[in-house]
Amino acid sequence: MTSNRVTEQNEAAARRRILCGTRLLAGMVATSIGPAGRSVVAGRQHARPQLVRGGYTIAKELEGLPGGARTGVTMLREMAWRIQEDTGDGTSTGILIAHRMARALDRALASGALHSAILERTAKHAEDVTRALRDGAWTLPSAATLRDIAIRAAGDDEKIGGLVADADRQAGEGGLVIVETSKASEDRIDVARGLHFDTKPLSAHLFDDPLKQTSTLTRPLILLHHGGIASLSDIAPVLEMIARSDRSLLIVADEILDEAMATLVINKRRGGLRVAAVKSPGNGLWRLPMMEDIATATGGHVLSPLLGTSLSSLSPSMLGQADSAIVGRDRVTLHGSVGAADAIAQRCEAIRHQIEAERSLSLDRDLHRLRLARLAGGVVRIEVGGRTETEQEWRERAAIRAAAAIRAARGGGLCSGGGSALIRAGEAADAALRKDEVGRAVSAVFRDGLTAPTIAICDNAGLDGRAIADLARRSDGSAFDIRARRFVSTDALAEPASVYESAVRSAVSTATAIASISRSVTRT
């Protein structure tokens, strides 16, 4: 029978059990961070073992703990998920900071510090630290810097990091890199030039080459119809318009029913009509905005009852245009679209606002990024191979982290790596902190938390992490390079500033949540 049982009556004991779980997870994560970090092997009953790195990936594998420890791991796992959704990287950094801050806050509260005052000042000081990180960041990263960032994010795998950096370069500013698994053992890059969208043909009978399942249309007019085309009367005005213009036709619609499709096939085979028909891209609520993206790029209009337009009101100016269209089994590519440059720029800016506004659903954010890349840049797909399934999964996760790190560097600027930026941001914010009893406690909490990543990175390389963190605090803006065993310029060792910002915000939120716990309830 299931019941609720209060397992801890003393708040210090409740937090202590939770900190046991955070200490266990942070200890595992600490050994995997940095260039000298190692993998954690995750084994499950009746399943092959996996080699994992990265805070969130390790946290997902940690199961079967007793009540209080399980709660601590779950809280850090949820925090790492938020960081992953926000920036795609930095989950290890966030877990290490959160654990050390939670432990320092527990010590401060045990020494008699006023609970509400220290938590309030901690939250306020976090804003000062993230502001210091933003103020110290710089933009316009070079290609070499982005390559170094990708390699480090990929666990110092130069082949994966270099592959992602090359894909990002080909995608261009505003482009998108998509990582997928390959069916072969070799890596592959697929670059999609021109405006393209993934879709399926509505009829294989309209292909120019039935064996290769491709069609090439020259100077096509593009009909964008949100909904199905049901009858011959719907399609007849379009065919008459095409016949008068002596142009080819690309139809993008949800479906074309039997009578209308038969008319298209007969006219193609007997009358020489140059036509292709494909399904509208996207699903559900995404279909209309994706159709409108194509309309903006081609200078056409979407015909939809939702927009007050229909086939009966069609005029030549409502059809989109392009120099050529290549229709395949799963993709359509348009070259030489004639959409107005200012309209495309406005559409891109609107999508950027949608990306920034979408803070909860990573899938929606990724779809917005894909829409933007189609209009403003290019889409490059990386197919990651491997000799075994375990190796392939490992390399795919590394490539995803590398792509996310480059995207974060482009979007939020760069700061000194190796955790040095965190230490200096903490020192800059600490200078403005009022040094009363609560202020001194808050200062100790942040100093303990913000040095945790640097200490772990250096300890993994066999160095004195605390000594190097102390040197970084007094350095003139340089960063400690583990490989070179010395401090180097920030240009030589840079990290995305937005990753550190997200890690600090999330870690402080989780640490203060743990510090506010007074009882623990376990369902047994």
Side-chain angles (χ1 to χ4, degrees):
M1 187 176 70
T2 299
S3 61
N4 287 339
R5 180 166 60 92
V6 178
T7 59
E8 304 292 352
Q9 298 298 327
N10 180 280
E11 66 177 75
R15 288 199 299 269
R16 188 168 59 247
R17 294 290 180 87
I18 290 173
L19 288 173
C20 284
T22 66
R23 182 175 63 251
L24 176 62
L25 176 56
M28 291 184 177
V29 170
T31 62
S32 71
I33 193 172
R38 282 85 69 195
S39 302
V40 174
V41 61
R44 290 182 176 178
Q45 191 175 13
H46 308 304
R48 57 183 173 78
Q50 289 185 329
L51 297 176
V52 295
R53 284 182 72 174
Y56 180 53
T57 308
I58 295 173
K60 288 192 296 182
E61 299 295 334
L62 199 54
E63 299 284 354
L65 299 175
R70 183 174 65 247
T71 301
V73 170
T74 301
M75 293 180 75
L76 290 190
R77 184 190 301 137
E78 291 297 312
M79 178 208 69
W81 175 79
R82 291 197 302 269
I83 298 173
Q84 181 90 358
E85 293 290 289
D86 189 21
T87 62
D89 197 14
T91 58
S92 295
T93 299
I95 286 174
L96 294 178
I97 294 174
H99 167 65
R100 292 286 290 273
M101 281 190 169
R103 193 177 65 175
L105 281 169
D106 185 61
R107 288 197 303 266
L109 294 173
S111 65
L114 185 61
H115 187 278
S116 59
I118 194 170
L119 294 187
E120 182 180 349
R121 293 278 288 277
T122 298
K124 174 64 172 63
H125 194 59
E127 298 176 6
D128 297 335
V129 172
T130 55
R131 189 180 303 111
L133 280 169
R134 286 193 298 271
D135 292 342
W138 69 92
T139 56
L140 300 177
S142 65
T145 300
L146 290 176
R147 186 181 185 87
D148 289 341
I149 289 173
I151 291 173
R152 286 196 297 275
D156 284 274
D157 188 324
E158 293 192 5
K159 186 173 182 181
I160 285 292
L163 183 72
V164 173
D166 290 342
D168 178 78
R169 177 181 53 80
Q170 295 185 61
E173 190 71 27
L176 181 65
V177 175
I178 298 175
V179 179
E180 301 172 341
T181 56
S182 174
K183 296 181 179 178
S185 61
E186 299 298 322
D187 301 326
R188 180 173 173 269
I189 292 181
D190 178 22
V191 182
R193 305 292 185 188
L195 173 67
H196 74 281
F197 53 96
D198 298 330
T199 184
K200 298 290 184 182
L202 290 175
S203 173
H205 297 293
L206 295 178
F207 280 129
D208 292 341
D209 188 336
L211 293 179
K212 295 183 179 179
Q213 293 189 324
T214 60
S215 292
T216 301
L217 303 177
T218 303
R219 297 181 60 244
L221 295 175
I222 303 168
L223 171 63
L224 301 167
H225 188 266
H226 182 241
I229 299 176
S231 64
L232 176 61
S233 59
D234 291 335
I235 201 71
V238 181
L239 299 181
E240 294 173 2
M241 195 178 301
I242 295 300
R244 289 194 299 267
S245 65
D246 193 27
R247 300 274 293 272
S248 56
L249 173 66
L250 173 63
I251 301 175
V252 183
D254 292 0
E255 60 178 346
I256 301 178
L257 298 184
D258 295 343
E259 182 184 13
M261 180 59 74
T263 302
L264 292 177
V265 172
I266 291 172
N267 275 273
K268 181 178 180 66
R269 290 181 175 178
R270 299 179 182 177
L273 177 67
R274 294 163 293 166
V275 62
V278 298
K279 188 174 180 63
S280 305
N283 295 293
L285 297 176
W286 288 100
R287 184 162 291 170
L288 183 57
M290 287 185 177
M291 294 273 281
E292 291 178 322
D293 293 342
I294 300 171
T296 302
T298 59
H301 297 270
V302 179
L303 303 179
S304 170
L306 298 175
L307 302 176
T309 55
S310 64
L311 286 169
S312 61
S313 62
L314 179 67
S315 64
S317 62
M318 301 173 75
L319 297 174
Q321 301 183 53
D323 290 341
S324 67
I326 301 174
V327 180
R329 288 177 298 178
D330 52 12
R331 181 182 297 177
V332 173
T333 303
L334 304 176
H335 295 282
S337 303
V338 299
D342 57 344
I344 295 175
Q346 291 177 8
R347 186 77 177 175
C348 290
E349 188 62 27
I351 296 174
R352 290 189 185 97
H353 286 306
Q354 290 174 319
I355 293 173
E356 293 181 5
E358 185 53 73
R359 308 301 297 176
S360 57
L361 296 176
S362 62
L363 176 60
D364 288 3
R365 196 162 56 246
D366 289 343
L367 285 173
H368 285 311
R369 288 195 182 110
L370 180 59
R371 293 174 56 207
L372 178 62
R374 287 169 175 164
L375 288 172
V379 177
V380 178
R381 282 180 167 81
I382 301 176
E383 295 182 3
V384 180
R387 289 167 293 185
T388 65
E389 188 175 352
T390 299
E391 180 188 13
Q392 190 176 50
E393 290 178 356
W394 164 268
R395 299 180 80 241
E396 182 190 18
R397 287 194 294 266
I400 290 172
R401 290 197 304 269
I406 289 181
R407 186 167 60 242
R410 288 191 182 277
L414 299 174
C415 61
S416 55
S420 298
L422 291 170
I423 295 173
R424 278 193 291 276
E427 290 298 301
D430 189 74
L433 187 63
R434 191 169 74 252
K435 295 302 189 294
D436 54 8
E437 181 181 357
V438 174
R440 287 191 295 271
V442 170
S443 177
V445 167
F446 275 85
R447 180 165 295 187
D448 202 19
L450 296 179
T451 57
T454 298
I455 292 173
I457 291 170
C458 296
D459 285 349
N460 287 337
L463 303 174
D464 188 342
R466 293 187 180 279
I468 292 172
D470 190 57
L471 290 173
R473 186 179 296 113
R474 300 196 302 267
S475 69
D476 56 355
S478 56
F480 190 80
D481 188 344
I482 291 295
R483 300 182 193 85
R485 295 295 201 271
R486 60 184 175 86
F487 281 91
V488 297
S489 67
T490 54
D491 290 339
L493 188 65
E495 294 289 350
S498 60
V499 170
Y500 282 165
E501 287 182 44
S502 179
V504 170
R505 283 196 305 267
S506 300
V508 171
S509 174
T510 301
T512 54
I514 292 174
S516 66
I517 291 172
S518 62
R519 292 289 186 274
S520 175
V521 179
T522 304
R523 188 180 295 273
T524 59

